[in-house]
Every structure is written in C-alpha cells, then in structure tokens.
Amino acid sequence: MSDDKMPEATGPLSISIPEPPTRPGDAPDFSYIEVPKAGAVDCPPVDTKPEDMRDLAYSIVRVLSRKGEAVGPWAEFLGDDLNDESLLRGLKDMMKTRVFDARMLTAQRQGKTSFYTQCLGEEAIATGFQRMMRKGDMNFPTYRQQGLLIADGCSMFDMICQIYSNEKDNLDGHQLPCLYSFKDHGFFSISGNLGTQFVQAVGWAMGSAISGDDKISAAWIGDGSTAETDFHSGMLFASVYQPPVVLNIVNNQWAISSFNGLAGGRNAPFAARAHGYGFPSLRVDGNDYLAVLAASKWATERARRNLGPTLIEWVTYRVAAHSTSDDPSAYRPKEESDAWPLGDPLERLKLHLIKKGAWSEERHTQAMAEIESEVIAVQKEAEKYGTLNRGKGPDPEKMFEGVYKEMPDHLVRQRLEFEA
Amino acid sequence: MARMTMIEAIRDAMDVKMGMDEDVVVFGEDVGYFGGVFRCTQGLQEKYGRHRCFDAPINESAIVGAGIGMATYGKRPCIEIQFADYVLPAYDQIVSEAARIRHRSNGQFTAPIVIRMPTGGGIFGGQTHSQSPEAIFTHVSGLKTLIPSNPYDAKGMLIAAIEDDDPVIFLEPKRLYNGPFDGHHENAVTSWAKHEKGEVPEGHYTVPIGKANVVETGMDVTILAYGTMVYVAQAAARENNIDAEIIDLRSLLPLDLDTIVNSVQKTGRCVVLHEATLTSGFGAELTALVQQHCFKHLEAPVLRVAGWDTPYPHAQEWHYFPGPKRVGKALKRVVEAQ
Ligand SMILES: Cc1ncc(C[n+]2csc(CCOP(=O)(O)OP(=O)(O)O)c2C)c(N)n1
Ligand SMILES: [Mg+2]
C-alpha cells in the first residue's frame, strides 16, 4: 500500500476482556437470555436440510409452559413417549439424582470421600437424554452426568463404592471419585482432562458405522470446555464423516469462576457452532424435562436413521458449586440461582404432573421420603465396605494392575519391591 | 522481612514484576477476578487492571500459543496452567514452538514466556491432579525447568524466570504451598510461618537460575532431590540417623553439576529422589551424570527412589508416594553397601 492510500491512524488499539454482567454484591441479571414462550419454536422433520433450520440454534426449544402445560410441536413430536408413566419415572429419576447428590455432598464433608460434583439444577438433561439411548449405545460423559447412570438403573451401591474408593470400588481405587466407568450402562470411563472425550465419542460412532452396526454414541461437554481444541476437533470429524453421534453441550452458564462468555458463548449461542460445520443443532431448555425428551428423541432419531450428527446446547444453570473444592460466592451473586429464568427442572415436571392429575403434593412428599430412605439404606450398605477415611480400601497392590494387559517385568519388580 | 506461604511468595513475585515492567502480563484459567484456584494471582487484576491480569478460555494450547505470540511481540507473559496435568494439550506449542523459536529464527524471534503450574501429588487428586511432568520438559532443548521448594526460593526464582529471555517451565509443588510437607501425611503440616525459608524479603531479589542449594551438609551420602522430596529426604535421613548431604536442585535445567559432583566426590554415595514415575525420569539423567563424573569416588551403586511406573492412583495415594520409609530403606542400602 502506498503512503497516500494509508488510512489515518485511529489511536491505540485494545482487546476485549469479557466480564459477566454481575459479581458478588450485585443484583443478578439474566437479561442476556431471551426466553421464548413454550411451544413457540418449530419442530421440523428430522431429515430437514441443516441450512433450512438454522433458526433452531438461536431460539430455545421449550415444551412446559409457566402454568405447567405441555404445549407446541415438540410435545406433539414426542407422541407415545409422552405418557404419565414415563414422566413419573422421569420425575423419580430426577428426585433420586438430587437426593443422591445431597447425601454424597454430606459424605464428602464428613471425609468419606475426597471430592464430589453435584448436578443440582441440571438433573433433567442427563436423566431425560438417557431415556432415548438404547442398550449398546455409548455415552461419553463428564463428571456432571450421574443422571445418565441413575436413569439407566445403575446400582447406586456401585456408584457409592466408587465415590468412597472402598474395597468394593469397581475401579479398585484407581480413579477420582465421580469419574465413574460403567461399560454395561453405556457409560464410558470419565477422564479428568476436559474435552478429550468429545472427539472420542465421534470416533466411537465412526467405529460403529464403519462396522455397519446400529449403535450410536453421545458426546458430553460443559460450556467452559467447548473452548478446548478437542471440542472443535470433534465438530470437524462429525462434519466430515457424518457419524451417528449426538453432541451435547451442557451450558450451565459457568465453568469454575469463569462465565460462558469466556468460551465465546455470549457472542453467539454455542448451538450456532454446528452451522459453521454444516450440520443441524438445537438449543433447548435444559430445565424442561419434556423438552429434553423431545430434543433427545429428535437427535437420536437422526443418528439412528444415519442422518448424521446433531449438536444440542442445553441451556441450564449450575446451582451447586463447581465441586466440593469450590465456593461460588467468591465470584457470582449468591441469589443468582433464584433469579435463573428457566426455573427448577424437578419443580416444573412436578407441577405438570399435578396439573394433569397424575401426581399430588402428598404423593410427592411420600415418594421423596421413600427415595431418601432407599438412598440412605444403600449408602449404609456401601459403608460396610469402608469409606476413603475408614476401612482398608482397595488392595494397595491393585495400583500395579491394569497399567498393561500383562504386567511387564519392570512393574513386576516394582511390585515385589513394594511388597517387601 | 515478611512471613509468607509459598502461594503468597509466588503472588508477590508477579506483583513485583508487574509493578516494575509494564510488559509483564498474567493470564490463565480462573486467574483474573477469582485469583486462581490456588489463589496465586489474587488481587493482581484489581491492582494492575484487566488488561494485565485476565481469565483465559479453557484451552491450554491456546493459552500457551497466545502467550508465545505475545512474547514474540515483546510482552513478558507469565501464564498459569491450572494443574501440571493439564499442560499436555499445550505440549506442541511448548516443544515445537516456544523451545525452538530462537534457534530456528537465529535469534530474530524469541519467546520469553514463563509457564507456571502446580505439580505433584499428596492431595488425593488422582491421576489428573497429581503428576510431576518435569522430565518431559527437561528432555526438550531450549527450555529451562525450575522447581522451588520454599517461599524464599519461589519468589526469587520466579522473578528470575520472568526476567529470563528464554522460555521457563516453573513447577510449583502444590503440597508445599502452605508448609514444608515431609511425606508423613498422618501428621499436620507445620506452616511456613514457622520455617526460616518462610521469611521472604520485600521487593525485588532473584535466586539465580542454575544454582542448587545445599540444604544440609553431611558425610555419609548425597541425596539429590527437588520440590517436596527435599523434606522427605530430610525426614528419612533424620529418622535413620544418616549424616546425609541433601541437595535441593531447584533448577533442573540448567543443572548445577558442580555442586552435585563436589558433594558426591566427598560422600562417595548417592541417592536420587523424585515423585515422578521412575522410568526415563529426571533421576535417570542425574544418575548417569553422577556415574560419569564421580565414577572413581563411588562406593555403592547410585539408587533412585521415585513414583512407581503407574498412573497416580487415588485410593492408594500414600502407597504410591515415595515417602520417608521407602527413602530411608534406600539410604540404608547405599550407606551400608561395602
Ligand atoms: C484440560 C483441563 N484443563 C483444566 C481443567 C480444570 N477444570 C476442571 S472442571 C473446569 C471447568 C469446566 O467447566 P464446564 O466445561 O463449563 O463444565 P461444568 O463444570 O460447568 O459442568 C476446569 C477449568 C481440567 N480438568 N482439564
Ligand atoms: Mg459449565
């Protein structure tokens, strides 16, 4: 460029450092989330061309109205799946997940485990999604999808023994609490490294499809972790190979202390990212159990019909602390969770069922008491085999096992040294 | 002089450098408003503004890659990786880029970046909050790798690292953040307030890169250690009545070979410690150097005590950790060898 064509200098440049609208002491402000009326968003046929349903990435699929009614095209899409029996089961799955979390949180405070991650306020997503998975399918979850296991009927005894790292821990004490592995429940071994499993889920689905199998997979990632390279790698492979995978982003607004704007989620919805890769996406009210069922059905159906990947952004709120090592009052307003515009998933489904005459406050109270005693009983049973701070725990030598299929000589020597 | 924890000393080092040099920028996951999950950057954003200390998206490769870019522009990034276990996505940026940019551009471009990260186990962090990855950095030419063991060194070494014109990996033994932990996990940790190395001068000072520290002089055996293992070495020697010369390496690369060689030539015996897995660990390098430079003085084979060659287990943490008992056994074997 010659000098005479140079535009005039425009003063010092600067970068943008995203900050959430509110911090501790401020009044909560969710004005950045536009909440459409329940039933307002279209439900296109699953084989619609991605470019003809881009708007789904920018609105929020909702089924339950404020009054607790199931309305709109996504409710219709659920068809036979929308029945009292199924919804009551969903309600109980969520209740169980919540009670389980509360008990385990207390157990951590008592030193029975080192670490725990609750999914308080996010229960509908995993418990609802799992209803659309079939035996042999595979989830690649994060530490916040215990609802998948609960909804699949995984033994809470086994889950608690893993959390306690006790002598019945199915992972022999190798792995951190909550980073379960339950292959029989289509639940892949959870990594502590964020994002790594997102692309693996895509690869698993590719494996199934290359083999001509009918199994599908589901990837899971948090809003903060969509920043990781592996998220983008997964999106790319999903786009290129069109495998039977559902890609789930649980947008609970927060990573640890950083809000989802730091993952780019306030410039455009996370759901919109699929359109850069040319595949469809849904943005869904994650606190609406019926919307979760409907969106999960839609996306898994696409996968099963070999129509390729679907991205789902579940809009929700992390009511709990990030983990037992975290205190959110240091970085967000205390009252923020009360101000959350999408409400509580459990209360919303309960209201719906009561409205329909399929449930009542009395039955709810009774069911809650039953679930509590069930979880307490299982917990007691698990504690017979020890907790992290009591009992003998998994055999110490088990740490040498499972590094390789067959133990190489150098490890055999180290194990002998250990025994000596 | 002020009494500081290692966390406070690290924070103070960044504070001092940010105050002296506008080009020093601090960023990483949760380091801005919140001040880091271990609180090492607490207050820095408030003091120096959001453009000097800020949060980064959860992408370690991008954090390091962007840090390298800023450094080549002329900034002095001091970045935090939340746990050493999470540096691996950034490994390509560190190995292929930061470490080599000076050499491949023949000095036209350089990357004076500091990459801080908490390392080591002992907090029931399982396989992804416990690892000690020093050897994967010392193996790379173009990098400097440091690991302090106390608040005084941590501050002086971090200031030296930020002032250094080459990329520096700065490993922070997280088990030492609040006090000198000697491997006896059943005991409460004494705080830095009661330790002489918890005394930290105000303002600017440096602990030079490439200088080891002889923590204890002795005649029976030389112990080469760094980070948490310095205190484990002290405990093991004391409990077994062994007159050990304990060397805190502090700087793994560049390495203070003279101090090591002088000591082993005096004692004739050597035990090497690290928490990282044994095979291909930094101890292998140290052992090779000792046998090469002290062969005629050695009266016993050099022994290594290290983490077992397994992932860091959760439940069996204290069976895995090379504590005073295992170290004591090795010391006795080496001292008693004829
Ligand atoms: C590679 C990697 N970097 C950093 C961390 C530390 N870390 C654990 S969870 C977390 C926040 C994740 O937030 P998000 O993805 O939104 O999931 P959420 O916890 O909200 O479910 C961070 C930074 C990690 N585990 N792995
Ligand atoms: Mg999140």
Side-chain angles (χ1 to χ4, degrees):
Chain A
M1 222 186 234
S2 67
D3 275 353
D4 51 20
K5 282 193 188 148
M6 284 283 273
E8 251 178 77
T10 49
L13 304 165
S14 68
I15 61 168
S16 153
I17 309 280
E19 267 295 312
T22 57
R23 286 296 192 183
D26 299 334
D29 178 6
F30 284 113
S31 58
Y32 66 87
I33 297 179
E34 247 180 75
V35 182
K37 272 206 157 80
V41 174
D42 238 19
C43 180
V46 292
D47 57 357
T48 307
K49 282 203 199 116
E51 61 267 32
D52 294 335
M53 45 181 176
R54 286 198 182 126
D55 50 336
L56 290 172
Y58 293 89
S59 194
I60 300 180
V61 172
R62 305 179 70 235
V63 171
L64 286 174
S65 71
R66 289 213 181 279
K67 290 188 198 140
E69 278 148 4
V71 293
W74 288 89
E76 274 161 44
F77 174 72
L78 271 175
D80 290 346
D81 290 306
L82 197 60
N83 60 69
D84 291 354
E85 194 193 337
S86 164
L87 294 185
L88 281 171
R89 189 177 141 195
L91 184 70
K92 285 179 186 162
D93 285 343
M94 286 200 278
M95 290 162 77
K96 206 185 245 188
T97 306
R98 190 167 289 187
V99 170
F100 186 87
D101 272 3
R103 298 290 311 177
M104 291 300 102
L105 181 70
T106 308
Q108 193 276 341
R109 301 280 182 241
Q110 296 166 335
K112 293 174 182 172
T113 181
S114 57
F115 176 80
Y116 194 74
T117 47
Q118 297 172 269
C119 64
L120 187 62
E122 306 174 31
E123 293 91 343
I125 299 162
T127 56
F129 185 85
Q130 185 60 18
R131 300 289 296 280
M132 297 298 162
M133 291 294 266
R134 295 185 191 155
K135 188 139 192 72
D137 294 342
M138 189 63 74
N139 280 298
F140 287 71
T142 81
Y143 44 80
R144 231 181 279 291
Q145 272 84 51
Q146 53 269 55
L148 296 170
L149 288 171
I150 301 265
D152 202 59
C154 179
S155 142
M156 287 192 292
F157 174 84
D158 289 345
M159 292 170 74
I160 297 176
C161 289
Q162 197 279 333
I163 292 165
Y164 286 166
S165 290
N166 69 12
E167 57 186 280
K168 294 270 186 187
D169 173 3
N170 72 333
L171 307 180
D172 287 337
H174 289 177
Q175 182 59 307
L176 267 181
C178 306
L179 301 192
Y180 311 106
S181 181
F182 286 106
K183 193 174 182 182
D184 290 348
H185 290 280
F187 193 98
F188 192 78
S189 155
I190 302 176
S191 171
N193 294 53
L194 297 173
T196 50
Q197 301 184 204
F198 200 78
V199 62
Q200 292 166 8
V202 174
W204 195 98
M206 288 170 66
S208 167
I210 291 170
S211 307
D213 201 348
D214 62 358
K215 306 290 183 287
I216 67 167
S217 70
W220 293 88
I221 201 164
D223 51 297
S225 306
T226 61
E228 288 285 8
T229 305
D230 287 335
F231 167 78
H232 302 274
S233 306
M235 295 291 283
L236 175 72
F237 269 53
S239 168
V240 169
Y241 295 110
Q242 299 285 309
V245 62
V246 180
L247 302 163
N248 295 286
I249 301 172
V250 180
N251 177 6
N252 61 9
Q253 314 303 311
W254 290 93
I256 299 179
S257 75
S258 63
F259 77 125
N260 57 15
L262 259 162
R266 301 274 168 107
N267 301 340
F270 291 107
R273 292 184 180 181
H275 291 291
Y277 289 99
F279 60 86
S281 65
L282 304 174
R283 192 157 177 256
V284 182
D285 180 345
N287 289 19
D288 175 342
Y289 188 82
L290 276 66
V292 173
L293 281 184
S296 305
K297 181 176 174 179
W298 195 88
T300 52
E301 198 171 307
R302 276 182 46 79
R304 291 188 207 288
R305 286 178 52 187
N306 216 29
L307 294 166
T310 310
L311 181 71
I312 306 179
E313 175 187 346
W314 303 105
V315 183
T316 185
Y317 183 79
R318 193 197 81 209
V319 176
H322 168 73
S323 74
T324 45
S325 316
D326 174 46
D327 172 14
S329 70
Y331 53 78
R332 65 184 192 187
K334 269 207 179 81
E335 312 74 20
E336 207 180 65
S337 68
D338 301 328
W340 173 243
L342 299 178
D344 177 84
L346 220 153
E347 291 302 320
R348 285 174 68 190
L349 182 56
K350 178 182 147 197
L351 175 69
H352 172 67
L353 287 165
I354 291 176
K355 273 268 151 91
K356 283 176 85 180
W359 199 236
S360 66
E361 285 294 350
E362 299 73 57
R363 286 173 72 186
H364 192 82
T365 313
Q366 193 192 339
M368 199 63 173
E370 278 166 20
I371 288 170
E372 262 164 13
S373 31
E374 182 193 349
V375 176
I376 290 169
V378 176
Q379 189 183 6
K380 281 215 174 106
E381 184 60 23
E383 288 183 8
K384 285 188 190 155
Y385 302 94
T387 58
L388 183 66
N389 60 355
R390 198 178 48 75
K392 63 182 170 64
D395 186 350
E397 283 170 35
K398 292 257 171 82
M399 72 181 155
F400 293 102
E401 285 169 20
V403 184
Y404 299 90
K405 185 175 176 194
E406 273 162 42
M407 200 179 287
D409 284 351
H410 75 284
L411 270 185
V412 172
R413 281 196 300 275
Q414 289 185 22
R415 192 177 60 178
L416 282 173
E417 190 187 329
F418 173 71
E419 285 167 1
Chain B
M1 254 194 281
R3 288 278 178 177
M4 288 189 194
T5 67
M6 204 146 145
I7 292 168
E8 289 162 342
I10 286 163
R11 185 190 303 148
D12 197 36
M14 287 185 273
D15 193 352
V16 167
K17 280 311 295 176
M18 289 176 94
M20 288 170 65
D21 181 354
E22 285 253 310
D23 283 330
V24 176
V25 285
V26 168
F27 62 100
E29 294 159 21
D30 299 291
V31 309
Y33 181 87
F34 186 56
V37 294
F38 288 101
R39 319 324 299 271
C40 288
T41 57
Q42 195 172 27
L44 296 180
Q45 182 176 74
E46 207 176 342
K47 185 160 173 189
Y48 296 102
R50 279 203 242 155
H51 290 77
R52 299 280 309 280
C53 175
F54 50 88
D55 285 338
I58 306 171
N59 184 322
E60 292 76 12
S61 169
I63 292 170
V64 173
I68 293 170
M70 279 181 221
T72 58
Y73 171 83
K75 305 305 274 186
R76 293 222 163 228
C78 179
I79 65 187
E80 176 175 302
I81 298 291
Q82 200 160 80
F83 283 86
D85 314 72
Y86 304 140
V87 74
L88 296 175
Y91 198 52
D92 191 32
Q93 285 289 344
I94 296 172
V95 175
S96 313
E97 305 302 322
R100 292 189 203 150
I101 203 147
R102 176 188 295 281
H103 190 260
R104 80 173 189 235
S105 72
N106 230 357
Q108 283 179 35
F109 295 97
T110 59
I113 182 175
V114 178
I115 307 174
R116 299 176 36 242
M117 58 192 104
T119 179
I123 61 160
F124 277 108
Q127 56 180 251
T128 51
H129 304 86
S130 308
Q131 295 167 84
S132 297
E134 63 273 13
I136 66 171
F137 298 117
T138 55
H139 193 57
V140 177
S141 27
L143 298 179
K144 297 183 178 177
T145 300
L146 313 183
I147 175 164
S149 70
N150 59 65
Y152 177 88
D153 284 353
K155 178 175 169 184
M157 286 163 68
L158 184 53
I159 291 177
I162 295 172
E163 291 175 354
D164 199 276
D165 288 332
D166 283 309
V168 178
I169 304 293
F170 196 84
L171 301 166
E172 300 170 3
K174 65 176 89 71
R175 204 44 232 249
L176 299 182
Y177 271 153
N178 292 309
F181 174 68
D182 66 4
H184 284 294
H185 56 96
E186 64 283 3
N187 302 339
V189 178
T190 50
S191 82
W192 284 116
K194 300 206 178 92
H195 195 280
E196 60 168 325
K197 291 286 187 180
E199 273 193 16
V200 178
E202 270 161 49
H204 181 275
Y205 72 94
T206 58
V207 171
I209 293 174
K211 290 302 281 176
N213 179 32
V214 181
V215 178
E216 280 180 32
T217 54
M219 293 308 291
D220 292 350
V221 56
T222 299
I223 306 179
L224 304 181
Y226 46 90
T228 312
M229 295 308 289
V230 171
Y231 304 96
V232 177
Q234 285 181 312
R238 191 175 58 238
E239 287 155 21
N240 292 282
N241 289 318
I242 288 169
D243 185 26
E245 180 139 307
I246 300 173
I247 301 178
D248 174 1
L249 297 176
R250 300 198 288 201
S251 173
L252 304 188
L253 207 101
L255 183 69
D256 186 355
L257 190 59
D258 287 347
T259 300
I260 296 172
V261 170
N262 286 340
S263 174
V264 179
Q265 288 189 347
K266 180 179 80 176
T267 61
R269 296 166 202 263
C270 181
V271 172
V272 177
L273 310 182
H274 55 66
E275 203 185 324
T277 47
L278 180 78
T279 301
S280 300
F282 192 63
E285 181 66 29
L286 293 171
T287 307
L289 287 168
V290 167
Q291 77 82 27
Q292 184 188 339
H293 293 276
C294 310
F295 185 68
K296 294 207 177 106
H297 297 80
L298 283 176
E299 291 168 51
V302 180
L303 283 193
R304 290 175 290 163
V305 185
W308 308 116
D309 285 333
T310 76
Y312 216 114
H314 176 255
Q316 300 93 341
E317 171 146 279
W318 297 117
H319 296 288
Y320 180 89
F321 186 89
K325 213 169 126 199
R326 265 172 73 200
V327 173
K329 256 191 199 170
L331 289 178
K332 277 204 259 174
R333 258 181 72 195
V334 167
V335 169
E336 286 161 14
Q338 296 293 314

